[in-house]
Amino acid sequence: MILAFDTPYRPLTSRPFLSNSTYAEYLPGEALRPYVSCFWASGVSGGEVDVLEAAVPGAAAPGAAGRETVLLAGTVRVIPDTCMDIIIEINHTRQSISSRLCGLQDCTFMVEQGRGGDRVTKIAARFYFWSARLFLDLELGETANRVLDLELVQPGCNREFEPLFYHRSVEESISWLEGYLLERLETDRYNPNLYNSIDFLLRTGGNAVVKDICANSCVSQRQMERLFRQNIGLPIKRIASLVRYQNVWGEVVRRDRFEIMDAVHRYGYADQAHLLNDFKRFHGIWPEQARQAALAWR
């Protein structure tokens, strides 16, 4: 079963235009595009700038900033991008591999960056919120706003990642990771009631109340909440709010001119103040400030 939703959904990080020698995103192949938003990679040699990892409040392990990592001095704003990341870190200096799972987050935070001495490469897959469960033998109810050592929840994975030591290019590593993920894709975990509801949620741009989302699949709210918790990690209402915020953020940063009142009506906000406050709640700053910060990396 290949998931196909009526409305394309393209969540963004706080710096969607960033692409340089230390951080770059790669589009997945056709087979993985319904599930993987992108692959990304970063790398640094000893003595250059590296990242001081910071954890989401309540995180089980450091490294929550993976999806926003840029090997430059300063701070990075990490926003709720409605995605989950698997990050593989290859330490060439110590000849070791570690990996972690970054769960969905519903808040923004800042990550401090500093210097490190080891030569490290990071390869990661960024999954849409609806798809990570299809690759992981793990219920996601306890992963929200947390970073987990992937080896602890998927024993043996670091050994499986060892071929990454021998690849000579990022493209080769990503090609290998694509094959690895396709082998792990378990469509038996697909739940039609859950994905019908996600399709409805995406088609409405997140402007949908919980009862309507559940009614679309003829499933009780209690049962649907359980499906969202187990397979996504956050409740229905929170996911809808995050999808709506991401749609607004996409318009803010992609359009030459953001027409706020059009967005108010399109996404069901009560008024302009409601949209602005909701955006700041998730992004941490006002839309125009966020836009200027993003464009600085174009």
Side-chain angles (χ1 to χ4, degrees), residues 126-198:
R126 182 174 299 154
F127 300 91
Y128 294 112
F129 68 86
W130 60 79
S131 61
R133 180 72 176 88
L134 302 179
F135 297 87
L136 296 167
D137 186 17
L138 174 71
E139 289 192 359
L140 302 180
E142 301 300 322
T143 63
N145 292 317
R146 299 185 69 194
V147 180
L148 304 173
D149 184 335
L150 190 61
E151 178 68 22
L152 295 181
V153 296
Q154 305 281 276
C157 66
N158 287 345
R159 184 176 301 168
E160 294 175 348
F161 296 146
E162 287 181 358
L164 294 170
F165 268 127
Y166 308 104
H167 296 160
R168 298 190 176 188
S169 69
V170 171
E171 290 78 9
E172 187 179 356
S173 293
I174 289 175
S175 178
W176 180 90
L177 186 55
E178 281 200 281
Y180 174 84
L181 290 176
L182 284 170
E183 289 180 358
R184 293 190 62 87
L185 177 60
E186 291 286 349
T187 55
D188 289 346
R189 299 189 185 118
Y190 169 88
N191 184 294
N193 291 326
L194 174 66
Y195 288 106
N196 284 340
S197 293
I198 292 171

Side-chain angles (χ1 to χ4, degrees), residues 2-298:
I2 297 177
L3 299 182
F5 297 120
D6 288 343
T7 303
Y9 177 65
R10 295 291 179 264
L12 301 174
T13 63
S14 67
R15 295 187 282 191
F17 304 116
L18 178 65
S19 181
N20 57 32
S21 59
T22 58
Y23 175 91
E25 296 180 358
Y26 302 81
L27 190 66
E30 289 286 345
L32 284 177
R33 286 184 192 176
Y35 315 102
V36 176
S37 173
C38 71
F39 293 99
W40 62 263
S42 67
V44 65
S45 298
E48 297 181 11
V49 180
D50 202 352
V51 177
L52 279 175
E53 310 279 35
V56 177
R67 71 191 56 158
E68 284 288 311
T69 296
V70 183
L71 304 181
L72 298 170
T75 59
V76 174
R77 179 178 300 276
V78 183
I79 64 172
D81 61 4
T82 66
C83 291
M84 297 183 67
D85 286 23
I86 288 179
I87 304 173
I88 305 164
E89 186 171 291
I90 305 119
N91 190 313
H92 305 281
T93 303
R94 303 174 187 270
Q95 288 293 290
S96 64
I97 286 184
S98 59
S99 57
R100 55 193 183 272
L101 172 67
C102 300
L104 284 181
Q105 64 191 69
D106 60 2
C107 59
T108 188
F109 59 94
M110 304 299 293
V111 175
E112 296 291 335
Q113 298 177 330
R115 295 184 177 273
D118 290 353
R119 182 170 172 266
V120 173
T121 301
K122 295 179 184 178
I123 305 291
R126 182 174 299 154
F127 300 91
Y128 294 112
F129 68 86
W130 60 79
S131 61
R133 180 72 176 88
L134 302 179
F135 297 87
L136 296 167
D137 186 17
L138 174 71
E139 289 192 359
L140 302 180
E142 301 300 322
T143 63
N145 292 317
R146 299 185 69 194
V147 180
L148 304 173
D149 184 335
L150 190 61
E151 178 68 22
L152 295 181
V153 296
Q154 305 281 276
C157 66
N158 287 345
R159 184 176 301 168
E160 294 175 348
F161 296 146
E162 287 181 358
L164 294 170
F165 268 127
Y166 308 104
H167 296 160
R168 298 190 176 188
S169 69
V170 171
E171 290 78 9
E172 187 179 356
S173 293
I174 289 175
S175 178
W176 180 90
L177 186 55
E178 281 200 281
Y180 174 84
L181 290 176
L182 284 170
E183 289 180 358
R184 293 190 62 87
L185 177 60
E186 291 286 349
T187 55
D188 289 346
R189 299 189 185 118
Y190 169 88
N191 184 294
N193 291 326
L194 174 66
Y195 288 106
N196 284 340
S197 293
I198 292 171
D199 182 60
F200 178 78
L201 191 156
L202 294 178
R203 282 189 284 109
T204 59
N207 179 24
V209 296
V210 173
K211 68 173 184 176
D212 291 339
I213 295 172
C214 298
N216 181 70
S217 295
C218 300
V219 173
S220 71
Q221 182 172 336
R222 182 177 180 180
Q223 182 179 352
M224 189 61 71
E225 288 286 6
R226 179 176 58 81
L227 288 172
F228 267 71
R229 287 283 190 181
Q230 290 178 345
N231 294 278
I232 296 173
L234 287 173
I236 303 171
K237 186 176 181 179
R238 198 61 165 175
I239 290 293
S241 295
L242 291 172
V243 167
R244 181 165 70 165
Y245 150 72
Q246 270 289 329
N247 277 294
V248 171
W249 173 224
E251 292 194 14
V252 167
V253 78
R254 289 191 180 112
R255 297 189 175 188
D256 293 335
R257 180 179 175 83
F258 174 56
E259 299 291 348
I260 188 168
M261 290 310 300
D262 288 347
V264 166
H265 295 298
R266 184 159 40 252
Y267 297 111
Y269 289 96
D271 51 31
Q272 179 174 318
H274 183 199
L275 183 151
L276 291 172
N277 289 327
D278 192 68
F279 183 93
K280 188 177 182 183
R281 174 165 61 105
F282 288 124
H283 208 103
I285 53 179
W286 302 112
E288 185 56 30
Q289 293 173 305
R291 173 182 167 82
Q292 293 304 318
L295 292 178
W297 294 94
R298 185 185 284 257

